[in-house]
Amino acid sequence: MKGVVLAGGLGTRFHPVTKVVNKHLLDVFDEPMVFYPIRTLAAAGIEEITLVTGEEIAQFKKLLGDGSSLGVRITYAYQEGERGIADALSRAESLVSGHPICVILGDNIFQESLAGAAEAFADQGKGAKILLKQVSPEDARRFGVAEVADGKILGIEEKPDAPRSDLVVTGCYFYDDRVFDLIRTLVPSARGELEVTDLNNVYIAERTMTYDVLRGWWTDAGTPASKLKASILVALEKGVTFHR
């Protein structure tokens, strides 16, 4: 299995600082944000990783090089503009096609190892797998929300005003080697992007999508507030004690 880290986007929520540096190179506690998804893949036994990013690709190459300092092998793919997560993934095709893949969004941080999920997906052999997390109804409105019944995913609704469940789709996706053909069947959404929710719903429609529910904490660091939350969670995980 190969890994893909998606680290593009404009990072407008972090302006003005992201006018000169990619969001995924900002710090989460004591390390660059992008270190966390790379380490998560490495801990799951996935050592060949493609990082997809935009104009700041030279910044990543300077920081990460060939990935050996993090115990992985990194190749790079370029995404022009902001055309959605599925489009970003398609930029990695020439480097990972023919293999099952694990995709992680570059601003997602997971407490627990994903090794079990990776092994389960390898045994699954076909289709896709996503990782869900139970959150508050208020927080669910920020994410894709999964409707689940009898152990099956019935559908995913993107950022609903009235979520049908409290299980949101985290930024980790496992796909079989058909994923790039399926991306080519997608049509841009109203905001002009190829949506990962539409890709996931293709797998759900063919009933080859499975899921796990995370038990440990998970957070994105895609806003100033969630990045602060991520830093605090990581600091606590590393044994830091805060005093008033």
Side-chain angles (χ1 to χ4, degrees):
M1 185 180 302
K2 293 190 175 184
V4 179
V5 174
L6 303 182
L10 303 177
T12 54
R13 291 168 177 160
F14 288 96
H15 277 182
V17 66
T18 47
K19 290 184 176 180
V20 294
V21 65
N22 184 288
K23 173 185 75 176
H24 304 89
L25 299 176
L26 300 179
D27 65 297
V28 170
F29 184 49
D30 58 350
E31 292 187 304
M33 190 185 300
V34 73
F35 276 22
Y36 295 92
I38 292 172
R39 287 211 173 101
T40 294
L41 288 169
I46 301 169
E47 298 177 346
E48 293 187 44
I49 297 170
T50 294
L51 185 141
V52 182
T53 189
E55 299 293 339
E56 306 91 349
I57 195 167
Q59 296 175 355
F60 286 95
K61 289 182 176 180
K62 185 175 183 180
L63 176 69
L64 301 170
D66 64 2
S68 56
S69 63
L70 294 175
V72 298
R73 295 182 294 281
I74 296 178
T75 55
Y76 297 87
Y78 174 70
Q79 181 192 28
E80 183 177 4
E82 190 174 68
R83 300 175 179 173
I85 292 173
D87 176 78
L89 175 56
S90 72
R91 306 302 162 181
E93 180 176 6
S94 64
L95 297 166
V96 303
S97 64
H99 299 269
I101 57 175
C102 177
V103 183
I104 298 185
L105 304 187
D107 62 0
N108 272 232
I109 300 174
F110 296 84
Q111 180 189 32
E112 64 192 76
S113 170
L114 304 187
E119 291 173 6
F121 181 65
D123 293 339
Q124 183 176 321
K126 179 184 177 184
K129 186 180 196 66
I130 55 176
L131 303 180
L132 306 180
K133 180 64 182 174
Q134 189 173 29
V135 302
S136 69
E138 293 76 17
D139 209 19
R141 297 189 182 98
R142 295 200 301 126
F143 302 99
V145 176
E147 186 178 3
V148 174
D150 300 324
K152 301 287 186 182
I153 300 179
L154 305 180
I156 299 170
E157 191 175 11
E158 189 66 21
K159 298 176 183 174
D161 292 332
R164 296 179 182 177
S165 82
D166 56 3
L167 292 173
V168 303
V169 181
T170 70
C172 179
Y173 320 93
F174 295 88
Y175 296 118
D176 63 15
D177 60 4
R178 299 175 300 140
V179 64
F180 299 107
D181 289 334
L182 296 178
I183 289 174
R184 279 186 277 275
T185 71
L186 301 179
V187 296
S189 64
R191 58 178 180 174
E193 298 186 359
L194 296 183
E195 306 286 353
V196 71
T197 293
D198 292 341
L199 176 62
N200 289 332
N201 279 328
V202 171
Y203 281 102
I204 291 170
E206 67 174 28
R207 300 184 179 182
T208 60
M209 172 70 80
T210 63
Y211 70 92
D212 286 343
V213 179
L214 294 173
R215 286 178 283 188
W217 59 258
W218 155 80
T219 186
D220 74 286
T223 69
S226 63
K227 177 176 163 298
L228 174 61
K229 175 184 174 182
S231 290
I232 293 170
L233 289 171
V234 169
L236 293 172
E237 192 77 13
K238 293 185 176 183
V240 173
T241 301
F242 296 97
H243 299 282
R244 295 183 65 180

